[in-house]
Amino acid sequence: MLGGSVYVAFIRYVVSLIGVMLLFSQIGQPRFGRKKTILCYGVFCASVSVLACIWYVLDWESCVRMVAFTMFMCFSVFAFWMGKDTACLKIYKLALVFYLMAVFVIGGLEISILFFDRNVWADVIARIVIIALLALLMDRYLKEPMKGFGDYVEKEADTFSVAVMILCILFGIGYILNPVLNREMTPHRIYQVVINFLLTGMLQLLVFRFYLHIGKEREYEREKQLIQMNYRLLERQLEILEESVESGRRIRHDARHHNAIIAEYARRGQQEELLQYLKEYEEEITQGIPEMICSNTAVNNILAAYTRKAKNEGILVTLDVQVGKNLMFPSLDLVAIIANAYENAIYACMEVKKYSDERQCFIDLMLKKKKNKLIITCKNTCRMETELKDGKPKSEFTGGIGVSSIIRTAEKYSGEYDFKNENGMFVFRLIMNMEDKNDSLDSTL
């Protein structure tokens, strides 16, 4: 638009491309290492700049009209290949960079036209200054928030909202970059440019705040579920403690009677009767010892507590647990998965009993270690109408607690999981990577 030789055009193209790549690198996640990324960016910048100069020489008018869009579209394809973010997140970041590109391109042009009588070098210098300022602001205020925001967009963004946002930004910036409208600088034209920049900038800010708010709300919901899960675990632990206290009282009470009987047998010299009584007493004690499900204390306690609760509800329970005592896996995370899966299974069975007394409710829980994998499978009776959304059961069919905690823990250890409703039998499966300190396994069915 300002004219100039092909060498000046080459410098302006290089400055613009470097600016776009610098701004995108502030918020993008490259798939390659630092050296390879810089090399790829350099080759791309040189290739596109040379092609743009050839276009500039062959057809100046069409080049001026379309070169900005064309170069950015080329960069978009290149950025999709270079980045490792999801598609929605890449599109959002590219839209943001497109907006910032319009800021320094139009900013440089307007400064050159208004203050330096269309001097091309004033345009180049203004672009460099604006790019440096934008990069500094992004590094200070946007780089860190964008990391957390990226996670929210990956989980919450939908195709329709991203498409609408991109179209709005393209229309707004396309109007600003239209060279026909820039030939004559008037107060009305300056007003239009400023308003378009404000509107597109406010759209970017609105989208950022919207997804940030949704993401934080989801985080609060997950924290709430975690608190509720901890509350349930504490309830089970209190039940175990209360049973232990009650058992201790009963043992102390019975011990006085047993001592009195033994003393009486000894006083009368009835040795045969005393031996028979001690044998019966030993059998009674053996029968009262709680079943050991596995040697891992944390897993054993939580399984015992929930199994007791399930049997009290009339649910048939089958356990197949084969885990060692010393697993290279935090007990808290493992207990959280087991407790949530077991709790949801009990809730599903109770819902079936509420709506139908004809079906036999059951829970089959399998926990095994195979090489460096921990496999958890839970099958239980569920309502026929139990639905899944995005591969996860809806909260109304699980009691609203536990599924997100299971998923977050599984993802923490790069685990794979799935949920199914097989004709009224709910199936949860999970495989996670782990290592065992001890290759020996304890197996108790």
Side-chain angles (χ1 to χ4, degrees):
M1 180 179 305
L2 297 178
S5 66
V6 67
Y7 303 107
V8 175
F10 178 79
I11 294 173
R12 294 169 69 191
Y13 295 151
V14 169
V15 169
S16 298
L17 281 172
I18 291 176
V20 169
M21 291 186 291
L22 178 62
L23 297 177
F24 185 78
S25 65
Q26 296 284 337
I27 55 177
Q29 295 292 327
R31 67 164 63 183
F32 304 119
R34 184 180 180 87
K35 291 183 178 179
K36 188 173 182 180
T37 300
I38 294 174
L39 178 62
C40 291
Y41 273 142
V43 173
F44 172 81
C45 179
S47 303
V48 173
S49 299
V50 170
L51 292 175
C53 288
I54 295 173
W55 185 9
Y56 185 86
V57 172
L58 296 177
D59 190 350
W60 179 87
E61 186 174 351
S62 64
C63 179
V64 170
R65 184 182 300 111
M66 297 297 298
V67 70
F69 279 110
T70 304
M71 290 175 69
F72 187 79
M73 290 302 105
C74 293
F75 175 76
S76 299
V77 175
F78 175 74
F80 257 81
W81 175 70
M82 286 289 295
K84 65 177 182 179
D85 296 315
T86 60
C88 285
L89 189 55
K90 287 177 184 176
I91 291 173
Y92 176 84
K93 290 180 178 180
L94 285 170
L96 175 59
V97 173
F98 190 27
Y99 172 74
L100 297 177
M101 182 195 77
V103 170
F104 68 73
V105 169
I106 299 300
L109 288 172
E110 301 299 338
I111 290 173
S112 174
I113 293 171
L114 292 175
F115 303 106
F116 297 96
D117 193 25
R118 296 179 176 268
N119 186 289
V120 292
W121 297 111
D123 175 33
V124 172
I125 295 172
R127 291 189 188 192
I128 294 173
V129 172
I130 296 174
I131 290 170
L133 181 61
L134 290 175
L136 179 63
L137 292 175
M138 290 181 68
D139 183 68
R140 180 169 297 183
Y141 299 108
L142 194 60
K143 191 173 182 178
E144 288 302 320
M146 185 61 73
K147 292 180 180 178
F149 170 75
D151 295 334
Y152 301 148
V153 172
E154 288 180 3
K155 297 175 182 177
E156 309 298 340
D158 60 278
T159 306
F160 178 77
S161 62
V162 171
V164 171
M165 178 192 69
I166 295 302
L167 287 175
C168 293
I169 293 173
L170 287 177
F171 287 148
I173 300 176
Y175 177 80
I176 296 171
L177 293 177
N178 190 340
V180 175
L181 297 174
N182 279 279
R183 288 178 180 173
E184 189 175 342
M185 185 55 56
T186 63
H188 178 67
R189 170 58 186 162
I190 296 175
Y191 172 78
Q192 288 178 321
V193 171
V194 172
I195 292 300
N196 270 274
F197 270 122
L198 288 176
L199 289 177
T200 51
M202 289 171 64
L203 177 61
Q204 286 280 354
L205 181 61
L206 178 63
V207 172
F208 181 83
R209 297 293 299 176
F210 175 71
Y211 284 119
L212 197 63
H213 173 74
I214 291 179
K216 288 183 177 180
E217 187 177 348
R218 294 288 188 273
E219 287 293 325
Y220 294 149
E221 182 65 26
R222 282 190 284 267
E223 289 177 3
K224 176 185 175 183
Q225 291 181 352
L226 184 60
I227 293 172
Q228 290 176 322
M229 182 203 71
N230 289 334
Y231 175 75
R232 289 186 175 184
L233 290 177
L234 286 174
E235 281 186 331
R236 302 288 86 79
Q237 293 296 329
L238 285 174
E239 289 176 5
I240 296 173
L241 180 60
E242 288 174 357
E243 290 179 0
S244 299
V245 172
E246 184 62 29
S247 177
R249 290 175 180 172
R250 186 173 61 255
I251 291 173
R252 288 193 298 271
H253 179 268
D254 294 342
R256 291 197 298 269
H257 296 285
H258 292 308
N259 290 337
I261 293 172
I262 292 171
E264 186 63 23
Y265 278 129
R267 192 178 299 111
R268 295 182 179 183
Q270 298 174 330
Q271 295 182 0
E272 294 295 329
E273 289 82 354
L274 175 59
L275 291 175
Q276 180 63 28
Y277 176 77
L278 291 174
K279 182 179 179 181
E280 293 175 355
Y281 181 50
E282 183 180 359
E283 292 176 354
E284 181 182 347
I285 292 176
T286 303
Q287 292 176 355
I289 296 175
E291 179 186 6
M292 279 293 295
I293 300 173
C294 70
S295 62
N296 188 294
T297 305
V299 175
N300 184 80
N301 288 342
I302 202 66
L303 287 176
Y306 277 102
T307 300
R308 191 179 302 110
K309 179 181 178 181
K311 290 182 177 179
N312 290 339
E313 297 291 341
I315 302 170
L316 180 64
V317 178
T318 304
L319 299 177
D320 183 7
V321 183
Q322 299 180 22
V323 293
K325 184 176 181 180
N326 300 316
L327 295 173
M328 290 293 292
F329 195 89
S331 296
L332 183 61
D333 290 334
L334 183 57
V335 166
I337 294 174
I338 296 172
N340 281 305
Y342 215 153
E343 182 88 28
N344 291 340
I346 294 173
Y347 178 85
C349 291
M350 292 172 63
E351 286 292 296
V352 171
K353 286 180 171 291
K354 184 188 298 184
Y355 292 97
S356 173
D357 295 329
E358 299 177 357
R359 298 173 61 191
Q360 174 65 46
C361 293
F362 69 90
I363 298 175
D364 292 344
L365 181 64
M366 186 268 287
L367 180 65
K368 289 184 178 181
K369 174 189 175 294
K370 290 186 177 180
K371 295 184 179 179
N372 64 332
K373 304 287 185 182
L374 180 66
I375 304 172
I376 301 175
T377 301
C378 183
K379 301 178 181 179
N380 60 270
T381 311
C382 69
R383 293 167 58 187
M384 294 291 185
E385 58 269 27
T386 300
E387 298 178 5
L388 280 73
K389 182 179 180 182
D390 298 328
K392 298 176 285 187
K394 292 184 177 180
S395 59
E396 58 264 32
F397 298 105
T398 62
I401 303 174
V403 174
S404 62
S405 179
I406 292 174
I407 292 173
R408 183 157 60 172
T409 306
E411 291 175 345
K412 179 180 177 181
Y413 297 97
S414 302
E416 299 179 3
Y417 58 87
D418 70 339
F419 303 89
K420 291 182 181 178
N421 179 8
E422 298 180 348
N423 259 344
M425 182 179 72
F426 190 82
V427 180
F428 160 63
R429 295 179 296 184
L430 172 66
I431 300 177
M432 288 191 297
N433 299 318
M434 57 162 288
E435 293 181 0
D436 201 339
K437 293 179 182 177
N438 198 332
D439 288 333
S440 63
L441 296 176
D442 291 336
S443 176
T444 306
L445 300 182

